[in-house]
Amino acid sequence: MVIKLKIKNKLIFAADLDNLDEVNNILNQISNLINTVKIGYPLVLSEGIECISKFKNLGYNVIADFKVADIPATNKKICKITFEKGADAIIVHGFVGKDSVKACKDIAKKMNKELFLVVDMSHPGSRQFLEKNSKEIAKIGLELGIKNYVLPSTKPKIGLEIRKILGDEAFVISPGIGVQGGEIKKTLKFADAIIVGRSIYQSKDPMTTTKKLINHINLAIS
Ligand code: O7M
């Protein structure tokens, strides 16, 4: 398993709020429990791309969830700017095809950063197009030598099937736990870490909720 990011407690916090103060408030409560934050469009479009450096300065690993899905030339620019802003990793879509993914992979390699490839997604609509091609997308990732992947916790059977294709060397992160119905135990049979957003940031007591999640994670892997 080759990954430069060390994800504490196998738990990534999805900071999908549109207000930086609210995110900081949650992080203050869980900062000794997690070290990796996934930020995406809700926060960046509301508060600006500088959120990345703000979280970096607080000591977090930052995964930029921009689900990059454009032509190779544009993909390269998006990744380069995101890495220059301080992101440790960027999330990239595979359905756009090998050349688009390769452009991201090449710039990530050049800048010594990480890339996560989305192979399938967690929401019901993903069955319409993405799921039908997820194995092909996984193969593109393997052909390009990509090590990091995103697989949905709401589809544990498919998760296991794709993990077989990716092999033990792959590092898999998985969203969909909690609100979307995914279960930690089933997910950690194919994933190395989980991504959780609403269950934490909508909780009345984010610290206790996060501790409970970590207990479940530890039970699942023991
Ligand atoms: O725990 P939630 O459901 O509130 O949040 C899950 C997070 O994971 C949220 O940031 C989603 O955008 C993201 N996500 C999915 O929910 N499903 C997917 O298939 C893929 C992602 C994701 O992170 O892609 C990289």
Side-chain angles (χ1 to χ4, degrees):
M1 189 187 310
V2 185
I3 182 165
K4 289 179 225 86
L5 297 183
K6 296 278 171 260
I7 297 173
K8 187 171 178 178
N9 285 324
K10 295 181 177 286
L11 180 59
I12 299 165
F13 175 53
D16 293 325
L17 295 150
D18 59 8
N19 181 298
L20 191 56
D21 290 337
E22 283 177 36
V23 175
N24 279 326
N25 179 31
I26 308 278
L27 285 177
N28 285 339
Q29 298 173 63
I30 63 171
S31 62
N32 62 338
L33 302 171
I34 62 123
N35 70 351
T36 306
V37 179
K38 181 178 83 73
I39 65 170
Y41 295 116
L43 190 64
V44 166
L45 293 177
S46 309
E47 297 279 11
I49 191 79
E50 304 310 329
C51 291
I52 294 177
S53 54
K54 286 181 185 156
F55 293 134
K56 278 311 297 170
N57 291 338
L58 291 171
Y60 294 102
N61 299 320
V62 178
I63 301 178
D65 182 3
F66 294 154
K67 294 194 180 68
V68 185
D70 213 314
I71 61 166
T74 309
N75 270 7
K76 180 182 175 182
K77 288 179 195 164
I78 296 168
C79 291
K80 185 168 180 282
I81 295 164
T82 305
F83 292 142
E84 282 169 354
K85 293 290 175 186
D88 299 289
I90 192 162
I91 293 176
V92 169
H93 258 310
F95 71 81
V96 271
K98 194 171 177 180
D99 53 352
S100 290
V101 178
K102 184 176 184 299
C104 301
K105 160 90 198 316
D106 289 347
I107 189 73
K109 191 174 176 202
K110 193 171 166 196
M111 295 178 76
N112 199 22
K113 301 282 188 173
E114 301 273 351
L115 176 153
F116 286 85
L117 184 66
V118 179
V119 173
D120 194 358
M121 292 188 74
S122 58
H123 60 306
S126 62
R127 294 198 187 94
Q128 207 173 354
F129 301 110
L130 201 53
E131 187 180 300
K132 291 173 184 149
N133 293 290
S134 56
K135 289 183 181 153
E136 292 304 308
I137 295 171
K139 283 178 195 155
I140 285 179
L142 283 179
E143 284 163 19
L144 290 171
I146 289 171
K147 299 289 178 204
N148 307 322
Y149 296 87
V150 183
L151 290 176
S153 70
T154 52
K155 301 176 183 173
K157 194 170 162 278
I158 290 177
L160 283 172
E161 282 169 17
I162 293 181
R163 163 60 88 168
K164 263 193 203 139
I165 295 172
L166 297 175
D168 292 340
E169 285 302 302
F171 188 83
V172 174
I173 61 176
S174 183
I177 300 288
V179 179
Q180 296 183 56
E183 292 170 32
I184 290 175
K185 194 165 182 188
K186 287 181 183 168
T187 301
L188 288 175
K189 290 203 187 332
F190 64 85
D192 299 286
I194 60 170
I195 300 167
V196 180
R198 285 166 291 180
S199 298
I200 294 175
Y201 67 74
Q202 290 180 346
S203 162
K204 286 201 177 84
D205 182 353
M207 187 175 77
T208 304
T209 301
T210 306
K211 280 184 180 165
K212 279 185 189 161
L213 283 167
I214 292 167
N215 278 343
H216 279 118
I217 291 168
N218 289 333
L219 275 175
I221 58 173
S222 64

